Amino acid sequence: MHLALLSNAETPNGKAAIGQLLSRCNLQSSAGAYIGSEPAPQEIFFTQTKNIYASIGYQLDLYLDFEDGFCIDVFHQALSKPFIHLSGGNTFRFLNAMNQRNVANALINYTAQGGLLIGVSAGAMLLTPSIITANLCGDPNDVGIENLQALNLTSFLFAPH
């Protein structure tokens, strides 16, 4: 299982951490997928993140989110990529949308089969047993989600920033 939990991918250290991890994983392709925490009509954050990956020699060539930008076929394409970037944003909203699409087990299986998940902020908290620490980052629970259980891919919680 390959995981990266980052507070910020835009810093020199964040970029270096992603670059080192990707370079050590013997990837079959340098192109990965981006899953946004919420819809981004102009894909501003996707474009910024694509530029980060390009600066370290990798690509993000597939975008989706679990709300308006969700398509099960595109999700399956994402699962065929060697790495998936889980964006930052509102952690409660991200978990709620992931649960509504019922894709948690697919992401867990993805990592069990050697796929790399790179979570930044909210995306990182999704990799832990629970997103209870999202309150510490100032995320409001506007979606009213009660079950804060996340992907449980780590044995620890994460509080970015």
Side-chain angles (χ1 to χ4, degrees), residues 89-127:
N90 182 297
T91 315
F92 296 103
R93 184 174 178 172
F94 206 174
L95 178 63
N96 188 59
M98 183 181 75
N99 289 341
Q100 287 181 338
R101 297 298 183 185
N102 197 28
V103 295
N105 284 336
L107 290 168
I108 292 167
N109 290 336
Y110 171 80
T111 62
Q113 295 171 0
L116 167 60
L117 290 177
I118 301 169
V120 175
S121 190
M125 285 188 274
L126 287 183
L127 303 178

Side-chain angles (χ1 to χ4, degrees), residues 41-60:
Q42 284 97 20
E43 299 180 358
I44 294 168
F45 298 114
F46 176 51
T47 300
Q48 289 173 344
T49 307
K50 277 175 60 171
N51 291 337
I52 290 168
Y53 279 80
S55 75
I56 56 174
Y58 293 89
Q59 298 173 302
L60 292 174

Side-chain angles (χ1 to χ4, degrees), residues 1-156:
M1 176 177 355
H2 303 288
L3 304 172
L5 288 76
L6 302 168
S7 290
N8 187 340
E10 296 176 13
T11 66
N13 287 338
K15 289 178 192 178
I18 292 170
Q20 286 183 22
L21 181 62
L22 290 172
S23 70
R24 293 179 184 186
C25 287
N26 298 321
L27 304 176
Q28 295 178 359
S29 167
S30 64
Y34 173 99
I35 299 178
S37 61
E38 61 186 81
Q42 284 97 20
E43 299 180 358
I44 294 168
F45 298 114
F46 176 51
T47 300
Q48 289 173 344
T49 307
K50 277 175 60 171
N51 291 337
I52 290 168
Y53 279 80
S55 75
I56 56 174
Y58 293 89
Q59 298 173 302
L60 292 174
D61 64 357
L62 190 141
Y63 166 90
L64 77 144
D65 64 69
F66 293 136
E67 293 180 31
D68 298 340
F70 186 77
C71 169
I72 193 66
D73 293 331
V74 175
F75 179 66
H76 288 291
Q77 288 176 25
L79 295 176
S80 73
K81 301 284 185 181
F83 64 94
I84 297 173
H85 179 98
L86 301 172
S87 80
N90 182 297
T91 315
F92 296 103
R93 184 174 178 172
F94 206 174
L95 178 63
N96 188 59
M98 183 181 75
N99 289 341
Q100 287 181 338
R101 297 298 183 185
N102 197 28
V103 295
N105 284 336
L107 290 168
I108 292 167
N109 290 336
Y110 171 80
T111 62
Q113 295 171 0
L116 167 60
L117 290 177
I118 301 169
V120 175
S121 190
M125 285 188 274
L126 287 183
L127 303 178
T128 70
S130 169
I131 65 160
I132 196 166
T133 57
N135 289 333
L136 300 173
C137 301
D139 285 353
N141 187 355
D142 295 335
V143 294
I145 188 171
E146 294 180 17
N147 180 353
L148 303 182
Q149 181 178 347
L151 294 172
N152 200 24
L153 294 170
T154 69
S155 61
F156 54 87

